């Protein structure tokens, strides 16, 4: 019995020896630090240096993050005045700076849009109401343009000028983007007018004109005031097409160049409008209206009148007035409420009664 009790004692002794050895080693380290105060002070100094270095590094990181945030805010603000696509366009042509006088030529689709009857509408508003209305309207028109790969170049009063350059895409991509944006603008307008109706405001209407062609993209101004700009005959044509919308009773007017570039027959419904000479241009332009946003019944009616309108314009070009009027009257029988048909009949009577030169090409001056 006594032997069984004493057997655990060697294990207890081993544990006691280990504890005493650990205590002795700790005591030795303490005595060593007391006998070598210089080493202790040196270690303390090194620790303080490391702490200060870490603090300075953290401060530098904080300053860097602050400057980065500031640069990001400035860039975002800058992009509100100079579209990012302008800078990217110049970069694509080998320039990484936006210096004064920089110019490049490119082929793009140009879209103009404005509010019908805006002058009369604005006269009924206070300045604050007018700015609130315009900002609300532009906010809704911005998305259809951006979602279809375009960007707004300028706000001109109530008008919008947008460009479609489809980076890394073809000319067809650019033209299709612009057509899609125009149709989506009309859908966005329907939603906006529903909102205005719910708020007790009258609906508004817009006209859209689109052309495709070469433009010069560059920067103009002076040393202390610079702006980006797009100039050229193509810009003038797009602007003039938009102004024809109320005269021809169309929502979206496009040039034949745009339709050909887009190969539009595969995706879009459209109707021939007229052979016109726009202001500031000698050569006439064939113009068409896009129908995709209209109700199916309206599209069907306008397509029925299209062949007669085309024939009527061809007769007008040849100064065959009676034949032209006969075609337009047949179109009116198919759709008595068609504004375009009424326009052609009135125009044909007006041209017939006026003196036209022998070399007249049949184009209407609108």
């Amino acid at each position: 019995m006594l032997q069984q009790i004493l057997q655990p004692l060697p294990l207890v002794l081993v544990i006691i020896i280990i504890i005493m050895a650990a205590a002795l080693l700790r005591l030795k380290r303490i005595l060593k630090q007391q006998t070598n105060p210089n080493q202790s002070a040196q270690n303390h100094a090194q620790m303080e240096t490391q702490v200060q270095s870490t603090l300075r590094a953290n401060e530098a990181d904080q300053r860097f993050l602050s400057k980065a945030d500031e640069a990001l805010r400035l860039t975002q603000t800058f992009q509100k005045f100079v579209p990012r696509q302008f800078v990217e366009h110049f970069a694509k042509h080998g320039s990484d700076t936006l210096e004064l006088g920089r110019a490049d030529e490119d082929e793009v689709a140009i879209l103009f849009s404005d509010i019908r009857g805006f002058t009369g509408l604005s006269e009924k508003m206070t300045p604050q109401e007018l700015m609130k209305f315009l900002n609300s309207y532009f906010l809704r028109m911005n998305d259809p343009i951006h979602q279809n790969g375009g960007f707004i170049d300028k706000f001109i009063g109530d008008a919008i000028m947008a460009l479609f350059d489809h980076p890394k895409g073809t000319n067809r991509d650019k033209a299709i983007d612009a057509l899609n944006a125009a149709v989506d603008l009309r859908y966005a307008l329907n939603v906006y007018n529903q909102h205005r109706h719910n708020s007790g405001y009258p609906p508004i209407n817009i006209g859209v004109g689109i052309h495709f062609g070469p433009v010069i993209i560059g920067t103009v101004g002076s040393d202390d005031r610079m702006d980006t700009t797009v100039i050229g005959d193509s810009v003038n044509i797009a602007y003039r097409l938009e102004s024809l919308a109320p005269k021809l009773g169309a929502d979206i007017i496009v040039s034949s160049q745009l339709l050909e570039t887009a190969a539009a027959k595969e995706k879009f419904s459209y109707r021939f409008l007229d052979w016109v000479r726009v202001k500031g241009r000698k050569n006439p332009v064939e113009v068409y209206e896009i129908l995709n946003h209209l109700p199916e019944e309206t599209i069907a009616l306008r397509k029925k009148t299209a062949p007669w309108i085309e024939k009527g314009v061809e007769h007008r070009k040849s100064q065959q007035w009676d034949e032209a009027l006969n075609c337009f009257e047949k179109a009116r029988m198919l759709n008595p409420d068609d504004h375009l048909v009424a326009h052609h009949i009135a125009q044909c009577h007006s041209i017939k009664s006026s003196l036209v030169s022998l070399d007249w090409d049949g184009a209407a001056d609108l």
Side-chain angles (χ1 to χ4, degrees):
M1 177 67 73
L2 182 61
Q3 290 177 350
Q4 292 176 351
I5 295 174
L6 292 178
Q7 280 179 356
L9 285 179
L11 179 59
V12 173
L13 289 175
V14 171
I15 293 172
I16 293 173
I17 291 170
I18 291 173
I19 293 173
M20 290 181 66
L24 289 172
L25 288 172
R26 183 178 179 186
L27 179 62
K28 183 178 181 181
R29 282 198 300 270
I30 293 173
L31 290 174
K32 185 176 180 181
Q33 290 178 356
Q34 290 177 350
T35 56
N36 193 2
N38 293 335
Q39 183 67 33
S40 178
Q42 184 178 2
N43 292 338
H44 182 70
Q46 288 178 350
M47 290 181 62
E48 285 190 352
T49 301
Q50 291 176 354
V51 170
Q52 292 296 329
S53 177
T54 302
L55 290 174
R56 285 195 297 271
N58 289 338
E59 290 176 359
D61 289 344
Q62 199 64 37
R63 286 196 301 271
F64 173 77
L65 291 173
S66 177
K67 291 295 183 182
D69 289 341
E70 182 181 355
L72 179 60
R73 288 193 299 270
L74 287 172
T75 299
Q76 291 171 342
T77 302
F78 177 74
Q79 288 178 356
K80 293 179 181 179
F81 293 91
V82 179
R84 170 180 51 82
Q85 290 88 340
F86 262 104
V87 181
E88 292 177 348
H89 178 87
F90 290 134
K92 182 176 67 175
H93 288 77
S95 176
D96 56 358
T97 59
L98 197 65
E99 71 272 11
L100 182 65
R102 173 72 185 184
D104 288 311
E105 188 173 9
D106 200 356
E107 288 189 303
V108 299
I110 310 105
L111 180 150
F112 275 91
S113 172
D114 78 349
I115 301 172
R116 294 285 165 254
F118 175 72
T119 301
L121 186 66
S122 64
E123 290 174 348
K124 301 175 184 178
M125 300 181 186
T126 66
Q128 188 61 46
E129 288 172 340
L130 180 59
M131 288 299 105
K132 184 178 179 181
F133 161 68
L134 283 176
N135 286 326
S136 175
Y137 165 74
F138 287 143
L139 180 65
R140 286 164 173 81
M141 297 299 104
N142 177 73
D143 191 58
I145 292 171
H146 280 247
Q147 290 298 322
N148 287 288
F151 64 95
I152 294 174
D153 173 48
K154 287 180 178 64
F155 295 108
I156 312 168
D158 64 305
I160 296 172
M161 175 183 173
L163 302 178
F164 296 82
D165 65 346
H166 203 110
K168 299 182 181 180
T170 64
N171 286 346
R172 183 170 185 263
D173 294 328
K174 301 173 186 179
I176 290 177
D177 286 346
L179 286 169
N180 285 331
V183 173
D184 287 347
L185 283 173
R186 295 298 308 187
Y187 291 146
L189 179 69
N190 292 339
V191 175
Y192 181 45
N193 277 334
Q194 184 60 52
H195 171 74
R196 288 180 61 81
H197 174 76
N198 295 339
S199 301
Y201 296 113
I204 64 171
N205 195 13
I206 65 172
V208 178
I210 318 174
H211 179 62
F212 183 90
V215 297
I216 296 174
I217 301 176
T219 54
V220 295
S222 60
D223 292 338
D224 58 351
R225 178 67 174 88
M226 184 178 72
D227 196 6
T228 55
T229 189
V230 181
I231 57 176
D233 183 51
S234 298
V235 177
N236 176 59
I237 293 174
Y239 172 71
R240 298 301 179 184
L241 293 187
E242 182 276 322
S243 67
L244 294 179
K247 296 179 182 179
L248 301 179
D251 297 327
I252 304 170
I253 296 185
V254 301
S255 65
S256 58
Q257 289 92 326
L258 181 85
L259 291 180
E260 291 169 4
T261 304
K265 287 185 178 180
E266 298 178 8
K267 186 176 180 181
F268 298 92
S269 297
Y270 53 87
R271 175 176 71 159
F272 173 77
L273 291 176
D274 205 349
W275 169 252
V276 301
R277 181 179 292 102
V278 299
K279 293 180 181 179
R281 194 170 195 268
K282 182 179 180 180
N283 296 325
V285 181
E286 278 190 6
V287 294
Y288 295 76
E289 69 170 326
I290 299 299
L291 306 172
N292 290 57
H293 64 288
L294 298 172
E296 291 184 5
E297 312 83 59
T298 304
I299 295 175
L301 279 173
R302 294 195 181 186
K303 282 192 171 184
K304 282 184 179 180
T305 62
W308 291 111
I309 291 173
E310 290 184 29
K311 290 179 181 179
V313 171
E314 286 300 318
H315 286 305
R316 186 193 73 196
K317 288 181 181 180
S318 303
Q319 300 185 37
Q320 297 173 335
W321 311 114
D322 293 339
E323 291 84 349
L325 286 169
N326 183 51
C327 289
F328 295 140
E329 288 294 346
K330 288 182 177 179
R332 181 156 61 179
M333 291 176 62
L334 292 172
N335 188 6
D337 298 326
D338 195 330
H339 179 93
L340 178 64
V341 174
H343 164 80
H344 275 297
I345 292 174
Q347 180 180 245
C348 200
H349 281 296
S350 176
I351 297 174
K352 179 182 177 181
S353 61
S354 64
L355 296 176
V356 295
S357 61
L358 295 176
D359 60 348
W360 181 63
D361 57 10
D365 295 314
L366 298 178

